[in-house]
Amino acid sequence: MPAVAMHISNGIIDNQIALLFAAIALAGLGLCFVQGRRELDDRLVPMAGLVAAFIFAVQMLNFQVLPGVSGHLLGGTLAAILVGPYLGAICVSIVLVVQALIFSDGGVTALGLNITNMALLGTAAGYLLVATLLRVLPRRTWTLTVAAVIASVVSVTVASQGFVLQYYLGGAVDVGRSLGAISAAMAGTHLLIGLGEGVITALTVTYVAKVRPDLVYAVRNLKRPVVSEAVTV
């Protein structure tokens, strides 16, 4: 079976499960559109465009994991930190749709599967962890950096396990491994990918937070300003 450049390809998961997750993806994106529209302002609109473009670029780096399935940087945590979980999920989804329809990166019938894993699960996991860490860690310059790295690793790994669940529910091809081996392969590969993504995300959001903290959604909305080490709390 030929391998595709990215994501889950057509035929890996049976049509019934693909349709189920297409419905889940549509419902999740519907919620994101409703909530995201309420948050739109002059800062978020241009940032969302820049975030989507950046995610598209970093997702071009991919690593083969299984026949027809590959791992790559996701960008969900980066998007969630900069523009919030709702717009962040929409940004990742737009990238996935463009890649599938124009560049044949990932199957068209598997769009619901990929959007659920990477746009919904990955972004939600990343933002929830960042929100938690920003509330409990000291208010220092390094706080956002650490939160970005940890959340990136966790979100990418969580997204990879979404595929494992989907394969368990409706795997249509034999990839020659047990479910446990598939889970371990996906987790192991994406753990390393998550570390790389964590570095990229941390460098990006830390720089933006220092230059324009008002553009960082997570810091602004959680009311936990990232201050310089020289400032006494």
Side-chain angles (χ1 to χ4, degrees):
M1 179 174 55
V4 297
M6 295 182 185
H7 322 314
I8 304 171
S9 61
N10 294 325
I12 298 295
I13 307 297
D14 66 38
N15 291 333
Q16 290 82 2
I17 298 302
L19 285 173
L20 171 62
F21 279 92
I24 293 173
L26 283 174
L29 287 178
L31 174 63
C32 290
F33 274 109
V34 172
Q35 297 296 328
R37 186 175 180 180
R38 296 173 181 172
E39 298 176 342
L40 279 178
D41 57 30
D42 292 339
R43 291 172 296 190
L44 285 178
V45 172
M47 280 296 293
L50 291 173
V51 166
F54 184 79
I55 292 172
F56 181 85
V58 298
Q59 283 199 4
M60 298 304 291
L61 301 172
N62 67 98
F63 313 90
Q64 195 65 35
V65 181
L66 299 168
V69 180
S70 57
H72 55 78
L73 305 180
L74 303 186
T77 299
L78 172 69
I81 293 174
L82 292 179
V83 299
Y86 301 114
L87 288 178
I90 293 172
C91 288
V92 177
S93 297
I94 291 173
V95 171
L96 296 176
V97 171
V98 170
Q99 289 174 339
L101 297 182
I102 299 179
F103 298 97
S104 298
D105 292 338
V108 174
T109 62
L111 261 176
L113 301 165
N114 289 318
I115 288 174
T116 299
N117 294 341
M118 291 181 272
L120 300 181
L121 284 178
T123 303
Y127 184 77
L128 288 173
L129 192 49
V130 166
T132 301
L133 292 174
L134 289 183
R135 286 190 174 102
V136 300
L137 292 177
R139 289 180 292 176
R140 291 288 187 269
T141 304
W142 54 264
T143 301
L144 185 61
T145 304
V146 172
V149 173
I150 296 174
S152 294
V153 173
V154 173
S155 69
V156 171
T157 305
V158 168
S160 76
Q161 295 308 297
F163 166 76
V164 178
L165 172 62
Q166 293 162 351
Y167 186 82
Y168 170 74
L169 293 175
V173 298
D174 183 6
V175 296
R177 303 188 188 187
S178 66
L179 188 67
I182 293 173
S183 177
M186 293 294 286
T189 300
H190 285 81
L191 179 63
L192 297 177
I193 292 172
L195 289 172
E197 177 164 333
V199 172
I200 294 173
T201 300
L203 290 174
T204 303
V205 300
T206 301
Y207 176 78
V208 176
K210 287 182 177 180
V211 177
R212 288 289 303 276
D214 59 302
L215 295 180
V216 182
Y217 178 98
V219 174
R220 185 175 70 248
N221 284 269
L222 293 171
K223 300 183 181 354
R224 295 282 296 184
V226 180
V227 298
S228 172
E229 297 289 354
V231 178
T232 302
V233 179

